[in-house]
Amino acid sequence: MPRHPETVITPNRLLSDARQRLASPKRADQRMSRSELADAVNTALDRLYPGRALTAHYVDFRWIGKLERGEHRWPSDERRAALRDVLDTGTDGGLGLYSPRRTGGAPAHTLDGRTGHVPTAVLVPVSGTLTGRYVGLEQAIVDAADECSKHANDAGTWKVPDGEIDQLREDVGSVALSFNALTPAEAVKETLRIRSAAVHSLPRTRRPSQQNDLYLTLGQTVSLLASASIDLGLWATARQYAQAAEQYGDIIGHAGVRAYALGMKATIAYWTGRAPEAVRYASMAAELAPVGVAQTRAFSILARAWSHRGAADEVGHALLAAEDVRSSEGFDELHDLIGGEFGYSVPQQARSASTAWLQIGQMEAATAAATRAVEAVAASSSEAWSTVEAEARVDLATCQLLAGDVGAARDTLTSLWSMPRSWRRVGLLRRVQRLHDMLTAARWRPVLAAREVAEEAAVFTANMGATVEPPLS
């Protein structure tokens, strides 16, 4: 039978109109919601079939929606009876429901009363009003609005209290600022606590801004854990944390987190004998780092990486670049705003330069940089123990020893020997071990002062192998 051009009243429209008629007087401007209709049907089921277990026949708003859209064409006898009761109609046809066993489709009532058959498709062309309009389009828009509202309300309930996230950010910032005043064990314990809390909070929110903040916190915590792992000589572990930090930074598009992580990866690489890899990571960090402290740190690490390849010119260029960007004002959240372990102080920069120059045998430049680092720490730090100062002192003493002045080297190191074992990070231990190896050479064996310093160095690095992983191949 040919389709009629007029608007067809579909099962969707019958049920929707019925819900409109059933709106309560208090809600005359609204139709009966699908949830309300579902509740009414379930109540009718209990009333019509007392004593029966009807759980399997209960419906919800999703089922009502499918019924209106024609996805359910012939519900169970019990559900149809409940629908007829609620919607006050004596026949299934009054509900717009027709048994699929019937042939020829369901009767369709046109505006002028003629009866035809509704084809399987719900959308039928409409003529006489707006070109291209279809039966069911208005209802589809209404349905979509209903679903969008529910989805938005549902998503809105998935949030974490802002104060909770703010506290996590304050906590990780506090650890970063006090990192050099904490032993590695203390830093790791507190950082793991913050990370665990952030991981727990992440699935509890669907708000993009909160997810961004939590991923940033996770990036910061694993960055600190990478640094602490380096301090403990746990190279493989440090590399895993650094990789995680880079991935978190990539997730939220945070250049500062990624640059810090790449710097960590470069540091791990040159400490474990993979100089070409160190140069590659450090170059990536320098290219990606935001203006300010982040670039200073990246170029300083790049100089260290090049030093392990014996590239004196490249070391000089990288250190000069680090000096040039030092005065640039930056706004990166990690390097500039939080600082601490994420920052890169003047003493750190000078200490790093002394180590790079020493690595390529530039004694004069190394001595000057190490002296600047020691003096800068003395002028700016009130910490009981400074790893930066200790490492700079060992670099300076090494330069003095290479210059033949063992007495000066002994004096430079005097304050170092009383440092508690819990503060002795691997970078410092490696430097002292190198100094010890120099002092045990044939040249210095007859010299009493050299033997005394060698003995102190041996005691200082005792049990080093028990806490430090061997270099990776």
Side-chain angles (χ1 to χ4, degrees), residues 10 24 44 51 65 74 79 96 102 135 156 163 174 190 295 305 336 361 403 441 468:
T10 69
S24 66
W74 193 243
R79 286 175 173 170
R102 296 181 54 160
V135 171
S174 177
E190 179 62 9
Q295 287 186 342
D336 300 293
V468 178

Side-chain angles (χ1 to χ4, degrees), residues 94 279 470:
V279 170

Side-chain angles (χ1 to χ4, degrees), residues 10 31 77 118 178 197 200 227 248 250 299 326 379 388 399 431 438 452 466 472:
T10 69
R31 69 175 61 205
D77 292 343
V118 177
S178 59
H200 175 71
S227 184
Y248 283 132
D250 185 58
F299 281 120
R326 179 88 227 179
V388 173
C399 292
R431 287 172 171 86
M438 292 173 58
E452 291 175 348
L472 302 172

Side-chain angles (χ1 to χ4, degrees), residues 402-419:
L402 289 171
D405 193 346
V406 68
R410 179 185 58 191
D411 294 342
T412 297
L413 295 171
T414 298
S415 62
L416 175 67
W417 306 132
S418 59
M419 175 180 277

Side-chain angles (χ1 to χ4, degrees), residues 67-86:
L67 190 65
E68 291 185 344
R69 292 192 295 272
E71 295 177 33
H72 292 317
R73 301 294 296 172
W74 193 243
S76 65
D77 292 343
E78 291 83 356
R79 286 175 173 170
R80 296 200 315 278
L83 282 166
R84 290 195 303 269
D85 181 79
V86 172

